[in-house]
């Protein structure tokens, strides 16, 4: 959310904010302990917006012939060419190794946008979910809508439920969908503003696939907190996030049909919000099993750098210069 706002600010010509020392000091201590020497190179990328890269997800519902030619001239090339287990033909993403970003398109009522600008790593949870035509899908924490748009580039769900608890973010989500998805398909999407922690009880065993792109301590945006007091509050509240994430994950599992799959993702490096949350759900729910996503990781190893030593059901994308994607944590689970 905050990253997207910052991108909008960049589009309007505003200079990047200064790194917040309070947050950096906190990250320095935590991530040096968790990542060791790797943290130094990651820190250099996260604190230098000038080296950040942006991917372009094409909208299959809009004609993009001239756009593809423009991207080629600008040095972009198709991503995800490494033989993925799941890559729908209509799913087209373009990247380049140099920093900078393509101009954003403004929202225009009644006119579909041709592309979505995003961090390429944020597409990995969508590809890991492997949605197929006719499946019932829940995007539990859907705003600002990028992953929902990406899911609809992959397949035509039988039922697609986009949920966002926050009112402002919910409106943003609906506008995003309106900007990318044609009316006949939008009419088949259910929007709700439910507390994600309650959805499992309200809609038990209703979905084949669930995406939990959980609220997290967004490392990129937090490092540029403009208000030191706000930054300090965020760091205090950070300790409570893993509890919320576990509750959301447990609720999502209840909403999942037996045999269904769930993908959990965050955009933080924090072990407490990533592996620890997944390990807790695996140890506390006897009907939940990990799903191996190592083949997907191999298939995208040209584009992304991953933290070593992870389990086969999880991956963590580490930003580095020339491949400044992430952070993005992805884990896949199945309900038995």
């Amino acid at each position: 959310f905050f990253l997207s706002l910052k991108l909008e600010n960049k589009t309007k010509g505003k200079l990047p904010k200064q790194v917040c020392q309070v947050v950096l000091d906190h990250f320095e201590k935590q991530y040096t302990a968790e990542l060791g020497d790797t943290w130094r190179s990651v820190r250099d990328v996260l604190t230098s917006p000038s080296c950040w890269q942006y991917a372009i997800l094409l909208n299959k519902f809009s004609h993009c012939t001239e756009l593809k030619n423009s991207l080629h001239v600008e040095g972009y090339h198709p991503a995800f060419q490494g033989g993925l287990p799941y890559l729908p033909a209509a799913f087209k993403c373009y990247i380049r190794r140099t920093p900078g970003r393509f101009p954003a398109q403004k929202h225009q009522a009644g006119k579909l946008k041709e592309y979505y600008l995003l961090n390429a790593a944020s597409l990995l949870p969508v590809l890991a979910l492997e949605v197929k035509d006719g499946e019932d899908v829940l995007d539990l924490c859907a705003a600002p809508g990028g992953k929902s748009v990406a899911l609809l580039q992959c397949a035509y769900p039988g039922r697609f439920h986009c949920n966002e608890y926050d009112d402002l973010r919910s409106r943003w989500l609906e506008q995003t969908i309106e900007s990318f998805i044609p009316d006949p398909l939008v009419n088949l999407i259910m929007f709700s503003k439910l507390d994600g922690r309650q959805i499992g009880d309200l809609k038990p065993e209703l979905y084949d696939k669930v995406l939990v792109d959980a609220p997290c301590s967004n490392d990129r945006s937090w490092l540029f907190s403009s208000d030191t007091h706000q930054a300090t509050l965020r760091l205090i509240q950070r300790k409570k996030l893993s509890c919320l994430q576990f509750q959301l994950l447990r609720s999502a599992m209840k909403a999942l049909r037996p045999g269904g799959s769930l993908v959990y993702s965050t955009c933080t490096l924090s072990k407490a919000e990533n592996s620890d949350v997944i390990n807790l759900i695996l140890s506390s729910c006897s009907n939940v099993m990990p799903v191996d996503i190592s083949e997907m990781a191999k298939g995208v190893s040209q584009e992304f750098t991953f933290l070593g030593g992870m389990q086969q059901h999880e991956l963590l994308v580490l930003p580095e210069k020339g491949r400044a994607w992430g952070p993005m944590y992805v884990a896949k689970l199945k309900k038995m």
Side-chain angles (χ1 to χ4, degrees), residues 72 75-82 91-96 303:
H72 180 72
Y76 287 86
H77 62 274
F80 310 124
Q81 300 296 298
F91 191 87
K92 304 291 184 185
C93 176
Y94 285 77
I95 60 174
R96 66 178 182 182
E303 286 94 356

Side-chain angles (χ1 to χ4, degrees), residues 1-2 122 125-126 138-145 147 163-165 169 196-197 210-219 221-222 238 240-252 262-278 281 327-331 333:
F1 173 76
F2 293 105
S122 67
V126 173
L138 167 64
D139 190 349
L140 188 69
C141 312
K147 291 181 179 66
N163 182 70
E164 176 54 51
Y165 183 55
R169 287 167 58 80
R197 294 169 292 185
V210 178
L211 175 63
V212 183
D213 187 43
C216 67
S217 51
N218 185 323
D219 293 349
S221 68
W222 282 27
R238 190 182 204 207
K240 301 177 183 178
L241 276 172
S242 58
C243 179
L244 169 63
Q245 291 155 347
F246 174 74
Q247 291 171 334
L248 289 170
L249 196 49
R250 186 171 55 186
S251 173
L262 177 150
V263 168
Y264 173 83
S265 61
T266 74
C267 49
T268 179
L269 298 162
S270 176
K271 182 174 175 287
E273 298 176 53
N274 295 337
S275 298
D276 288 356
V277 174
I278 294 298
I281 205 83
M328 179 58 57
Y329 176 80
V330 183
L333 306 172

Side-chain angles (χ1 to χ4, degrees), residues 6 15-24 46-49 220-228 231:
K6 191 164 71 62
L15 294 173
K17 296 176 181 178
Q18 296 296 310
V19 171
C20 179
Q21 194 62 45
V22 172
V23 177
L24 182 58
L46 291 180
T47 56
S48 305
R220 283 195 188 224
S221 68
W222 282 27
L223 276 166
F224 293 90
S225 301
S226 56
D227 185 318
T228 302

Side-chain angles (χ1 to χ4, degrees), residues 1 4 57 116-118 122-123 126 139 141-153 160 162-164 169-178 180-181 189 191 211 213:
F1 173 76
S4 300
L57 177 68
Y116 192 99
L117 297 175
L118 76 176
S122 67
L123 295 173
V126 173
D139 190 349
C141 312
K147 291 181 179 66
S148 295
V149 168
L151 282 165
L152 290 167
Q153 306 301 313
F160 191 32
C162 295
N163 182 70
E164 176 54 51
R169 287 167 58 80
S170 181
R171 291 198 297 272
W172 189 357
L173 166 66
E174 292 196 39
Q175 186 182 79
T176 300
I177 296 295
E178 180 188 330
F180 287 91
I181 310 302
I189 300 172
F191 293 97
L211 175 63
D213 187 43

Side-chain angles (χ1 to χ4, degrees), residues 12 27 30 42 55 105 126 133 156 163 202 215 253 284 332:
K12 295 172 185 174
F27 283 5
Q30 178 182 350
V42 171
Q105 291 181 311
V126 173
D133 289 348
Y156 293 92
N163 182 70
L202 294 170
M253 274 297 170
S284 61
K332 187 169 184 179

Side-chain angles (χ1 to χ4, degrees), residues 312-326:
Q312 289 185 322
H313 61 272
E314 61 180 355
L315 57 84
L316 178 60
V317 179
L318 300 175
E320 68 172 22
K321 288 180 179 176
R323 298 198 288 188
W325 314 115

